[in-house]
Amino acid sequence: MKITASGLAASATTQALGVPSSSTSVYGASGEIAVRVTDEKQRFASAPSLDWRESRGDNPSEETIIINPERKFQNILGFGAAFTDASCYLFSQMSAEKREQLFHELFHPSELGLSVCRTCIGASDYSTEVYSFDEGDPDPELERFSIDHDRKYLLPALQQARKVNPDLFLFSSPWSPPGWMKANGSMLGGSMRKQYFKAYAQYFLKFLQAYAAENVPIQAVTTQNEVDTDQDGKMPACLWGQEYEIEFVAQHLGPLLRANAIPTRIWLLDHNYNLWGRAICELDDPAVRQHAAAVAWHGYAGSADMMSKVHDAHPDVEMHWTEGGPDYTSLSYATDWAQWGRTFTQALRNWCRSITGWNLALDEHGRPNIGPFPCGGLVTIISQTKEITRSGQYWAFVHFSRLVRRGATRLDSQSTLNDIDHVVFENSDGRKVLVLTNGGPQRSIALQLGPSTADLTVASNSVTTLAWA
């Protein structure tokens, strides 16, 4: 089934979903529930609406999801993916008209509405070449510093996206410091030398100031992408021990940003769930906490509930899910929306305020790239025709980003259903949004909201979004 950009464009702001004006309170709900479904036959398609009705007083069964609006959790910042060097290069190869259409689809609030996106500070594994902003012999005064590489196609892409969505929140991560700052003298693998901490903090400052001068302010940075691996020297990467990150943030980067009145936030870790103990130890350091109050997470190892261990130890610290993308070699690349719906739901149910995927776009071979991994883009840009195809991850994002607005609050929802993942939000205008992911066979379930109930059938291998006023 081929889904065109124009077909998606016709499908959905909150108003376009037809959500009626009806009364809702913590004691129940009335009126219609608008329904959107992605399954084997349809993509974010309108389904027959449901009706709230007064429950018959029966005890909830195991097939019931119970919603409790009185119990509230974290606020939502948004959803997005990464403006890698590779993605922006591909954008630059499109005609102006096709690029404008794609950016409208990806970023406009009436469309997919991506609003939290990542950039790379220098080269990542998805770049056209290995580069930093200051390569060559040691240059602790950063006299060579320049972002000229990014002026070619990366900054223009970011500037265009900001025009489409002025509320775009950007955070940036380095895959490696300049090679001369590292023990191996290369951006590929290796580890950081402490003697260059002061210079590296200045490197961050210069990057932030240079981007701001291009009208691309960066709202947050992480100190290192994936602190706990050097990727065997196959790609830009750098090991950062726990004590190194503590010292760099507490004594160098944090104080320097503060002294220069830079409002950019610092997010710690930027690596897997299973490093939750390290995150707690870093946050336990009072000097770190003066400058950092957020943790960035990847889901390649460990489980999402490990983030809740960090929240339990530091309830005021923000959580952000900052990387994960599809495999273009997988037979389910275009249809694994239920897998991604479950991944996103688990992250959100464990305190994440944002979900950011990996490459916004790659070609059908997962290129351009430096690294050894078979990553696919959120969308694929076919190299010869420039035709756009969309991943299963894209269709999972639709069910969250199209209706869950910045500032929404996650509400409590509970059940004992197997194979059904669920998360519910309340937007600032009072509208509720429930996202259901079914990785198993078709199921008939009930929703309960106080004395109100509604019945629905959830298709197999599907993501379903319900919205009501």
Side-chain angles (χ1 to χ4, degrees):
M1 179 178 182
K2 183 178 178 181
I3 307 295
T4 65
S6 60
L8 179 63
S11 63
T13 60
T14 303
Q15 289 76 18
L17 274 171
V19 179
S21 298
S22 59
S23 59
T24 303
S25 74
V26 296
Y27 303 105
S30 63
E32 290 186 346
I33 305 171
V35 183
R36 289 278 174 177
V37 179
T38 293
D39 61 20
E40 299 295 344
K41 297 181 180 180
Q42 53 196 340
R43 308 289 184 270
F44 199 63
S46 180
S49 62
L50 307 175
D51 291 306
W52 289 108
R53 58 177 173 78
E54 187 175 352
S55 64
R56 303 180 181 88
D58 300 333
N59 291 326
S61 72
E62 291 185 355
E63 302 298 303
T64 300
I65 295 173
I66 301 172
I67 301 167
N68 178 13
E70 294 183 298
R71 190 177 183 202
K72 301 178 186 294
F73 299 94
Q74 79 274 19
N75 291 332
I76 301 302
L77 182 63
F79 305 87
F83 285 90
T84 57
D85 183 70
S87 296
C88 294
Y89 172 78
L90 291 180
F91 294 147
S92 74
Q93 302 302 298
M94 303 175 72
S95 69
E97 181 182 6
K98 286 188 175 181
R99 184 171 60 250
E100 184 177 355
Q101 290 174 352
L102 178 60
F103 274 41
H104 182 79
E105 176 187 340
L106 293 176
F107 303 110
H108 197 276
S110 68
E111 295 294 323
L112 187 59
L114 299 183
S115 61
V116 179
C117 291
R118 192 184 195 192
T119 82
C120 308
I121 305 176
S124 72
D125 46 329
Y126 282 84
S127 296
T128 57
E129 61 181 330
V130 177
Y131 75 96
S132 75
F133 301 134
D134 192 331
E135 277 304 294
D137 295 330
D139 179 26
E141 300 302 319
L142 302 180
E143 294 178 356
R144 287 191 308 262
F145 183 93
S146 171
I147 62 166
D148 281 350
H149 176 282
D150 291 4
R151 298 186 198 280
K152 301 173 190 175
Y153 43 79
L154 212 156
L155 280 164
L158 291 165
Q159 290 161 348
Q160 184 172 358
R162 275 202 180 279
K163 288 180 181 178
V164 178
N165 185 353
D167 292 328
L168 187 64
F169 181 104
L170 295 174
F171 69 95
S172 300
S173 309
W175 266 242
S176 174
W180 54 267
M181 294 187 183
K182 297 166 67 180
N184 66 348
S186 169
M187 289 185 67
L188 306 180
S191 59
M192 182 69 182
R193 286 179 169 172
K194 291 178 67 173
Q195 72 189 76
Y196 291 120
F197 276 5
K198 180 179 179 181
Y200 197 35
Q202 289 287 344
Y203 183 90
F204 272 83
L205 176 64
K206 284 179 173 289
F207 162 74
L208 294 170
Q209 290 173 332
Y211 261 54
E214 298 291 334
N215 198 31
V216 183
I218 303 297
Q219 283 86 5
V221 293
T222 70
T223 56
Q224 169 64 43
N225 174 71
E226 298 186 342
V227 293
D228 199 37
T229 179
D230 75 347
Q231 299 291 357
D232 293 325
K234 296 178 180 178
M235 55 178 267
C238 186
L239 287 166
W240 277 77
Q242 176 179 313
E243 69 280 8
Y244 273 42
E245 188 171 26
I246 288 173
E247 181 177 336
F248 181 66
V249 170
Q251 299 182 28
H252 298 279
L253 182 59
L256 184 65
L257 297 185
R258 181 172 293 176
N260 285 272
I262 302 295
T264 303
R265 309 170 195 175
I266 299 173
W267 296 353
L268 301 172
L269 195 67
D270 210 5
H271 208 175
N272 290 324
Y273 298 143
N274 61 356
L275 296 179
W276 62 271
R278 169 174 168 156
I280 290 176
C281 288
E282 292 189 11
L283 292 165
D284 283 345
D285 190 296
V288 170
R289 286 304 307 278
Q290 289 184 38
H291 305 288
V295 182
W297 298 96
H298 300 182
Y300 302 118
S303 55
D305 62 320
M306 294 174 178
M307 294 186 291
S308 286
K309 297 177 183 290
V310 180
H311 171 81
D312 291 345
H314 293 278
D316 58 329
V317 168
E318 296 181 2
M319 308 292 169
H320 298 275
W321 198 91
T322 55
E323 186 185 305
D327 180 346
Y328 80 92
T329 67
S330 171
L331 295 177
S332 63
Y333 164 81
T335 59
D336 59 357
W337 44 75
Q339 172 191 324
W340 287 109
R342 183 176 193 185
T343 296
F344 297 163
T345 296
Q346 289 177 345
L348 292 161
R349 289 183 66 89
N350 285 280
W351 298 100
C352 281
R353 297 188 63 223
S354 67
I355 304 287
T356 305
W358 191 202
N359 297 273
L360 276 164
L362 293 172
D363 73 11
E364 69 273 25
H365 305 294
R367 298 171 182 164
N369 72 72
I370 296 168
F373 302 110
C375 296
L378 181 69
V379 301
T380 294
I381 302 176
I382 305 300
S383 53
Q384 295 300 316
T385 65
K386 308 306 178 189
E387 179 187 359
I388 305 296
T389 62
R390 296 159 184 82
S391 65
Q393 187 188 52
Y394 175 102
W395 293 111
F397 265 123
V398 170
H399 285 269
F400 294 87
S401 63
R402 291 294 290 266
L403 294 173
V404 181
R405 302 302 186 190
R406 179 166 295 167
T409 302
R410 180 171 71 88
L411 306 179
D412 181 57
S413 61
Q414 301 294 331
S415 78
T416 58
L417 288 164
N418 294 322
D419 298 323
I420 302 286
D421 292 273
H422 51 90
V423 60
V424 62
F425 309 91
E426 182 176 37
N427 286 320
S428 58
D429 63 359
R431 296 178 185 274
K432 312 296 191 300
V433 179
L434 171 63
V435 183
L436 301 170
T437 300
N438 181 18
Q442 178 176 297
R443 300 283 293 276
S444 294
I445 63 176
L447 308 179
Q448 182 171 323
L449 176 55
S452 303
T453 189
D455 301 304
L456 75 154
T457 298
V458 183
S460 62
N461 186 34
S462 67
V463 183
T464 301
T465 297
L466 310 179
W468 66 95

